[in-house]
Amino acid sequence: MADDSDMVYPTGLTPKQAEEIQEGLMWGTRIYAGIAIAAHVLAFIYSPWLH
């Protein structure tokens, strides 16, 4: 177990653990944004009142 000197305040994670979680959150955000953009494009294409 890592000692308290290399923990990131206030989470209690090490810097490596924090970076790993951040990387996962960034990928999740990218996927969510991609799905949202695709949904908006499809809504524009298939909704006659938006033209």
Side-chain angles (χ1 to χ4, degrees):
M1 184 171 178
D3 63 12
D4 291 339
S5 65
D6 61 349
M7 295 291 182
V8 176
Y9 179 83
T11 62
L13 299 172
T14 64
K16 183 177 180 182
Q17 291 170 333
E19 289 173 4
E20 184 177 344
I21 290 174
Q22 181 189 14
E23 183 179 343
L25 287 172
M26 288 176 60
W27 272 110
T29 302
R30 289 177 186 139
I31 292 169
Y32 181 86
I35 292 170
I37 290 169
H40 281 82
V41 168
L42 289 173
F44 180 78
I45 291 170
Y46 292 113
S47 298
W49 60 89
L50 294 176
H51 291 254

